[in-house]
Amino acid sequence: MAKKEKEKPVLHLDGKDYIIEDMTDLQKEKASEVALYQNHVADVQNKLSTNAFMRQQLIECEKVFVDKHQKGVKELKEMLDNDHSPHDMGDEND
């Protein structure tokens, strides 16, 4: 049984393939740096997308709580306005 030949690691860059083991040490170092930056770009893009989704959710949640707050304030004002027994803040005997 013949051994399968291992595929050599390849760098895909602008539609062209470069075999990494054929690169000089300096080229390998730069290729590693480029790959790292590519990972950073992909990660940041993913986070931006996730945060945009979370922002949309938070905006909708905020609307619910603002509505509840406004309703509560309105109900409290009505309760306070309908209290016909005025209290003098300075008189503790009321």
Side-chain angles (χ1 to χ4, degrees):
M1 193 185 256
K3 279 188 174 180
K4 278 190 175 181
E5 189 177 316
K6 261 186 164 177
E7 285 193 32
K8 297 178 182 181
V10 175
L11 173 67
H12 306 285
L13 188 61
D14 294 334
K16 192 170 177 183
D17 293 341
Y18 300 90
I19 299 172
I20 293 175
E21 74 177 36
D22 293 345
M23 294 179 183
T24 67
D25 287 343
L26 188 59
Q27 289 170 334
K28 287 178 187 177
E29 187 177 320
K30 186 54 73 173
S32 176
E33 184 180 304
V34 167
L36 177 65
Y37 291 145
Q38 180 179 355
N39 290 338
H40 282 301
V41 169
D43 186 49
V44 168
Q45 288 172 336
N46 184 46
K47 287 176 181 176
L48 286 168
S49 177
T50 298
N51 283 325
F53 182 73
M54 289 175 61
R55 182 179 188 278
Q56 186 179 23
Q57 288 178 325
L58 290 170
I59 287 170
E60 294 304 313
C61 288
E62 180 189 34
K63 288 177 186 177
V64 169
F65 288 115
V66 166
D67 287 346
K68 287 182 179 214
H69 174 260
Q70 289 173 341
K71 181 180 176 190
V73 167
K74 180 181 175 186
E75 290 172 355
L76 177 59
K77 282 182 177 181
E78 288 173 1
M79 293 168 96
L80 294 170
D81 290 343
N82 288 334
D83 184 6
H84 297 295
S85 57
H87 298 284
D88 184 357
M89 296 292 284
D91 188 1
E92 294 179 16
N93 295 329
D94 273 354

